[in-house]
């Protein structure tokens, strides 16, 4: 879904002009008449989120400066572009100090406004991504840092916020690539344990000395080249959170040890005489159906009931299509900054393409696709051409990519394209394999052949639907040598004489 822009101006002509331009740029628009209405709109619970504000500094009841001041008090993060008149250009500096990202002078030109909007949205996306990465690195990631305003994601976030206040185990379920680890980090960041460590353990790739890696060991309890005491994941996570990724793949033997910890709240180090009290918050993630594994003996039923205390389903990306655009824009901002490319965002048509795709690999696939698009892009905006593999799988999008370079002497003889498109097999192709227009005779012959098959050789129906007489149809069948091909008799004598 394209970004939504809130336009605030008491001048109806200006509002209509800005609304028209915003729609032409490919964004959604919403208009209000005053500064008070801006503040009220941003506080409406459940309303569609606003991505950017265009604010006239001269508004009734509450002027633009007062609105900026109140938004600054709220720590408002949305980018704001202020509109000023030529006589009050000096007011732009105070407005920028109050948090405005940019200013435009009335009457604003379309090119200037479009550049200001793109730059403001790109800066906002980059700021959101920096906040996300910083919170992830410091263990302070919050649910507000997660991209997504869809109803499905909002439901999962509400459950996550409730779970963060409790000390019970949490089970995150969802398809691969949905972001279960990120969600677990948000639970940790919203909990009272955010000052502690967030430690991950991948059950899908357990080490050879699984027991000591997970639970630790005393000196001499196991044979290791370096010797000494092993702390284990539980010791690393003391006072914090231990995240078991892909818990469905944990070996049965280790499942028994884990069950004992959940029951007793104690860790038994290999070779130790006494157990150690475990002060760890446990979060589990499963990308397979644990109930089915329990039925087939691949997972202990008693452990399942122990960890399935507070289950949360992280929705797949196809169930939260409204979040695709915001995720893609944030990925684009991150990778453009990392690669040093002047890319300001993603075009409206490309966003429509990304929103129409099902994303079987979920958020991880979208992230990789965006990285590839940024790496290959040459312009200042990502277009459909930067997502050829996605366009090939979505009906209605057609991308032509130049083929590999050919020698100069052959370049004039032929221009080759790799054509990626979704086509109905019954559609008549107007181009040949070399990309040239096909001869009319061949098009006519194929149209008649299709009609003969479609109407099962009923000559009257074929002639009527093609808009020609039966005699003309027979003449064209003979002309294109189709009588023998379709095992048809020549035209009756009467028709032959009229022909």
């Amino acid at each position: 879904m394209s970004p939504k822009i809130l336009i605030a101006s008491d001048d109806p002509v200006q509002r209509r002009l800005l609304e028209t331009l915003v729609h032409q740029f490919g964004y959604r628009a919403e208009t209000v008449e005053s500064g008070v209405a801006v503040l009220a709109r941003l506080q409406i619970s459940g309303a569609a989120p606003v991505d950017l504000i265009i604010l006239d500094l001269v508004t009734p009841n509450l002027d633009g400066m007062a609105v900026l001041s109140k938004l600054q008090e709220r720590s408002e993060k949305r980018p704001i572009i202020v509109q000023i008149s030529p006589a009050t250009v000096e007011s732009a500096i105070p407005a920028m100090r109050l948090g405005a990202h940019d200013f435009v002078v009335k009457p604003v030109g379309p090119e200037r406004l479009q550049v200001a909007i793109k730059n403001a949205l790109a800066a906002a996306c980059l700021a959101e991504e920096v906040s996300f990465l910083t919170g992830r690195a410091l263990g302070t990631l919050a649910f507000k840092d997660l991209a997504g305003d869809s109803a499905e994601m909002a439901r999962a976030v509400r459950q996550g916020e409730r779970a963060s206040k409790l000390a019970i185990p949490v089970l995150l379920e969802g398809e691969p690539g949905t972001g279960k680890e990120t969600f677990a980090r948000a639970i940790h960041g919203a909990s009272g344990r955010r000052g502690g460590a967030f430690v991950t353990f991948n059950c899908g790739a357990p080490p050879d000395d699984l027991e000591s890696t997970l639970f630790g060991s005393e000196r001499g309890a196991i044979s290791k080249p370096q010797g000494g005491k092993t702390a284990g994941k539980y010791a690393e996570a003391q006072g914090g959170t231990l995240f078991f990724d892909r818990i469905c793949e944990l070996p049965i033997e280790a499942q028994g040890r884990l069950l004992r910890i959940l029951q007793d709240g104690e860790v038994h180090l290999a070779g130790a005489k006494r157990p150690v009290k475990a002060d760890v918050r446990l979060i589990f993630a499963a990308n397979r159906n644990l109930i089915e594994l329990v039925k087939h003996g691949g997972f202990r039923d008693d452990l399942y009931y122990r960890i399935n205390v507070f289950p949360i389903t992280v929705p797949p990306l196809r169930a939260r299509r409204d979040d695709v655009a915001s995720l893609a824009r944030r990925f684009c901002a991150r990778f453009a900054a990392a690669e040093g490319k002047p890319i300001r965002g993603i075009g409206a048509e490309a966003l429509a393409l990304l929103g129409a795709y099902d994303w079987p690999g979920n958020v991880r696939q979208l992230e990789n696709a965006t990285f590839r698009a940024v790496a290959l892009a040459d312009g200042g905006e990502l277009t459909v051409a930067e997502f050829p593999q996605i366009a090939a799988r979505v009906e209605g999008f057609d991308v032509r990519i130049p083929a590999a370079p050919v020698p100069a002497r052959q370049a004039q003889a032929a221009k080759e394209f790799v054509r990626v498109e979704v086509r109905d097999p019954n559609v008549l192709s107007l181009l040949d394999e070399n990309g040239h227009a096909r001869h009319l005779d061949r098009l006519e012959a194929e149209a008649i052949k299709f009609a003969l098959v479609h109407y099962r050789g009923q000559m009257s129906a074929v002639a009527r639907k093609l808009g020609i007489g039966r005699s003309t149809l027979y003449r064209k069948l003979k002309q294109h040598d189709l009588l023998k091909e379709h095992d048809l008799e020549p035209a009756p004598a009467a028709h032959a004489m009229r022909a």
Side-chain angles (χ1 to χ4, degrees), residues 294-372:
V294 170
K295 290 179 180 178
H296 293 89
F299 200 84
R300 293 179 61 123
D301 56 349
D302 46 4
L303 177 59
Y304 170 75
Y305 294 117
R306 278 284 179 179
I307 69 175
N308 191 35
V309 180
F310 200 121
I312 300 175
T313 299
V314 181
L317 198 52
R318 63 180 175 277
R320 42 184 294 222
R321 293 183 187 273
D322 291 347
D323 297 339
V324 171
S326 58
L327 283 166
R329 289 199 300 269
R330 281 176 51 164
F331 293 149
C332 176
R334 184 211 303 176
F335 295 133
E339 297 295 317
K341 290 202 168 187
I343 299 175
R344 292 195 297 264
I346 307 176
E349 188 181 8
L351 287 177
L353 166 67
L354 300 181
Y357 186 54
D358 279 342
W359 299 106
N362 294 297
V363 178
R364 186 182 298 124
Q365 183 188 7
L366 174 61
E367 183 177 9
N368 292 336
T370 308
F371 176 69
R372 179 188 181 279

Side-chain angles (χ1 to χ4, degrees), residues 259 268 290:
L259 177 63
H268 294 259
L290 286 179

Side-chain angles (χ1 to χ4, degrees), residues 138-332:
L138 298 179
T140 58
L141 189 68
F143 285 106
K144 63 180 178 61
D145 297 320
L146 304 183
D149 298 296
S150 63
E152 292 76 9
M153 194 61 183
R155 188 181 304 111
V157 166
R158 285 194 300 270
Q159 290 179 304
E161 289 173 337
R162 292 178 59 192
S164 66
K165 307 297 188 293
L166 306 172
I168 58 178
V170 175
L171 174 61
L172 301 179
E173 300 175 297
E175 298 176 5
T178 51
K180 293 184 288 297
E181 181 180 342
T182 298
F183 202 91
R185 289 181 181 273
I187 293 177
H188 170 75
S191 72
R193 295 176 174 269
R194 57 183 171 272
F198 181 91
V199 179
T200 62
F201 180 76
N202 186 359
C203 303
D208 295 334
D209 52 346
L210 174 66
E211 298 286 305
S212 62
T213 300
L214 188 57
F215 306 112
S217 64
E218 289 290 346
R219 183 187 301 270
I222 57 175
S223 298
K224 297 183 71 174
Q226 69 274 21
K229 179 179 178 179
T230 303
K233 294 291 185 180
Y234 261 88
E236 294 177 27
Q238 281 290 321
T241 301
L242 179 55
F243 174 63
F244 286 84
D245 194 15
R246 300 167 71 179
I247 185 63
C248 45
E249 299 181 24
L250 188 68
I252 290 291
E253 298 78 12
Q255 290 179 25
R257 294 287 302 276
L258 179 59
L259 177 63
R260 187 162 64 248
I261 292 173
L262 293 176
Q263 291 173 336
D264 303 336
E266 296 177 335
V267 178
H268 294 259
L269 278 69
K273 296 180 179 179
R274 295 183 181 86
V276 179
K277 188 68 176 178
D279 179 24
V280 176
R281 169 67 180 273
L282 299 177
I283 302 179
F284 306 91
N287 54 19
R288 295 167 61 189
N289 191 318
L290 286 179
I291 287 290
E292 290 299 318
L293 287 176
V294 170
K295 290 179 180 178
H296 293 89
F299 200 84
R300 293 179 61 123
D301 56 349
D302 46 4
L303 177 59
Y304 170 75
Y305 294 117
R306 278 284 179 179
I307 69 175
N308 191 35
V309 180
F310 200 121
I312 300 175
T313 299
V314 181
L317 198 52
R318 63 180 175 277
R320 42 184 294 222
R321 293 183 187 273
D322 291 347
D323 297 339
V324 171
S326 58
L327 283 166
R329 289 199 300 269
R330 281 176 51 164
F331 293 149
C332 176

Side-chain angles (χ1 to χ4, degrees), residues 363-401:
V363 178
R364 186 182 298 124
Q365 183 188 7
L366 174 61
E367 183 177 9
N368 292 336
T370 308
F371 176 69
R372 179 188 181 279
V374 169
L376 298 180
D378 293 322
E381 187 177 70
L382 298 185
T383 66
V384 173
E386 275 73 57
F387 299 94
Q389 290 88 351
I390 307 301
R393 292 169 172 81
V394 179
E395 186 175 358
F397 290 89
D398 182 10
V399 178
R400 287 192 177 192
I401 310 170

